[in-house]
Amino acid sequence: MITVSAPGKLMLMGEHAVVYGYPCIVTAVDQRLYVRAKKTDDGKITVDAPQSKETKFVDAAVAKFFVWRSQIPLRGTKGVSVKHHGVSLSIRSDFTSQVGFGSSSAVSVATIKALSLVFAIPMTEREIFDVAYQVTLDIQGVGSGFDIAAAVYGGTLFFKKGGEVIEPLPNEIPLVVGYTGVKADTPTLINMVAAKQKEYPGKVNKIFSAIGELVLQGRDALVTKDWERLGKLMNFDQEYLRDLGVSSQKLEDLISAAKKAGAWGAKLSGAGGGDCMIALHSAGGKPQITKAIQEAGGQVMDVRTHAEGVRSESEL
Ligand code: PMV
């Protein structure tokens, strides 16, 4: 029996533009999803996931793992014949799929890593990323893979679509996270932005490129811990996201409450429409911003950024 965990994520800057090839910054959070895996002799794959209504990401991750396995030359120390074995998987999570922390990416990544350990077939981080990204594309049809990268590598990453660039960045980020209570539908929002880009290519492409510029500046500010500057850049990013039409009244309420309470900057995080907003706080500024977000109707999520990527919790 082995247990593997993968972290959730928050997008710091660059959402939507990242789907069009611009960079983004994503950080892993210390809320994790756990997969326990056990080899069985019955040739069956069983999945127990009491916290979720469906298991399509786990099922797809298992399928993709075996496809990948069949395509690589024999690897591993124990000469295990994978196809004669079954596996039972049991999933539990610190966070629900409602909040937008990336439960689908975390479960895909943790499942693939768990299978590689159970069958003693070593996989590199890059291989786990590539196989898990295929799961996203198969099921959602769209997506940059930033959430998969956060689940695999952890920490904070400067990232480009499909893993063209995955660069670790230093420093925990002082964030307050406010949940709107509304579940965002990521593929719908991505498609809505795509329709807008088709209709107004000049305007929308300019927005993407401006967001890309902000992300580059944001990376420098993060590296030098220039939080005041990073906050301003996040505010500009939020203005562009609003122009793209992906913000919501609830997000705006929480964002403006956080800013009034002294946040360096605040913005939505992820696809928009709901899920969470993030506010960058100064030393000592956290309690006031927390209170302001709660008074504006948000649920504050107690998370730390820069968490460790997928890892084995135990090997019994
Ligand atoms: O809704 P989330 O948290 O999965 O974030 C989506 C971010 C997008 O840039 C809109 C899509 C993507 O895959 O990068």
Side-chain angles (χ1 to χ4, degrees):
M1 170 88 70
I2 60 107
T3 303
V4 165
S5 75
K9 55 80 190 144
L10 282 168
M11 180 73 98
L12 187 71
M13 292 181 80
E15 46 273 269
H16 288 289
V18 66
V19 177
Y20 295 81
Y22 294 95
C24 73
I25 300 173
V26 56
T27 188
V29 296
D30 66 350
Q31 300 228 350
R32 305 184 75 84
L33 182 142
Y34 299 82
V35 174
R36 275 172 61 191
K38 195 174 167 209
K39 217 184 311 171
T40 58
D41 289 329
D42 57 7
K44 290 191 192 136
I45 310 288
T46 57
V47 181
D48 174 44
Q51 285 166 278
S52 59
K53 282 188 240 102
E54 53 180 25
T55 58
K56 64 182 177 184
F57 281 90
V58 184
D59 300 340
V62 171
K64 288 283 169 206
F65 171 81
F66 286 117
V67 170
W68 170 81
R69 175 68 188 94
S70 68
Q71 287 167 351
I72 56 156
L74 206 57
R75 193 190 288 192
T77 49
K78 295 185 187 157
V80 182
S81 170
V82 167
K83 68 172 184 292
H84 297 303
H85 287 287
V87 65
S88 81
L89 297 165
S90 136
I91 321 283
R92 86 174 167 78
S93 180
D94 294 338
F95 56 96
T96 72
S97 60
Q98 301 300 306
V99 292
F101 283 176
S103 58
S104 328
S105 43
V107 82
S108 305
V109 166
T111 298
I112 292 164
K113 172 86 177 172
L115 293 174
S116 86
L117 292 176
V118 147
F119 293 115
I121 304 162
M123 287 179 93
T124 63
E125 288 176 328
R126 182 72 214 196
E127 285 170 332
I128 298 173
F129 173 86
D130 287 338
V131 176
Y133 185 43
Q134 283 306 315
V135 174
T136 304
L137 292 182
D138 267 23
I139 293 184
Q140 281 186 186
V142 283
S144 65
F146 79 105
D147 43 1
I148 300 283
V152 173
Y153 296 89
T156 303
L157 305 169
F158 179 79
F159 176 87
K160 280 195 181 177
K161 188 179 182 180
E164 186 195 323
V165 177
I166 304 177
E167 186 187 303
L169 298 175
N171 302 328
E172 199 174 313
I173 309 156
L175 290 183
V176 182
V177 180
Y179 176 51
T180 57
V182 179
K183 169 94 192 103
D185 180 359
T186 304
T188 302
L189 285 150
I190 294 177
N191 292 333
M192 195 191 89
V193 171
K196 203 165 218 173
Q197 189 220 23
K198 215 166 157 207
E199 199 174 352
Y200 307 102
K203 168 110 178 108
V204 172
N205 288 335
K206 262 194 209 133
I207 292 179
F208 291 152
S209 143
I211 291 177
E213 219 18 75
L214 291 175
V215 170
L216 290 176
Q217 295 174 30
R219 172 174 65 171
D220 293 342
L222 171 58
V223 169
T224 56
K225 293 195 187 182
D226 188 344
W227 304 129
E228 186 172 353
R229 181 167 164 75
L230 182 60
K232 284 191 180 131
L233 295 166
M234 287 166 60
N235 289 340
F236 283 127
D237 193 358
Q238 174 61 22
E239 282 175 29
Y240 288 122
L241 290 166
R242 198 180 301 136
D243 287 350
L244 286 177
V246 297
S247 196
S248 71
Q249 193 52 53
K250 187 74 186 267
L251 282 164
E252 292 299 328
D253 291 348
L254 305 188
I255 288 165
S256 89
K259 281 161 69 174
K260 277 192 202 128
W264 294 127
K267 63 181 277 295
L268 65 84
S269 173
D275 285 351
C276 289
M277 51 72 68
I278 51 176
L280 196 64
H281 68 80
S282 60
K286 191 172 174 180
Q288 258 168 300
I289 297 167
T290 299
K291 189 160 168 267
I293 291 174
Q294 284 165 340
E295 281 171 4
Q299 182 189 334
V300 170
M301 314 288 293
D302 189 19
V303 298
R304 293 185 73 162
T305 66
H306 212 61
E308 202 183 326
V310 67
R311 69 180 182 217
S312 171
E313 295 287 335
S314 66
E315 278 177 68
L316 300 176

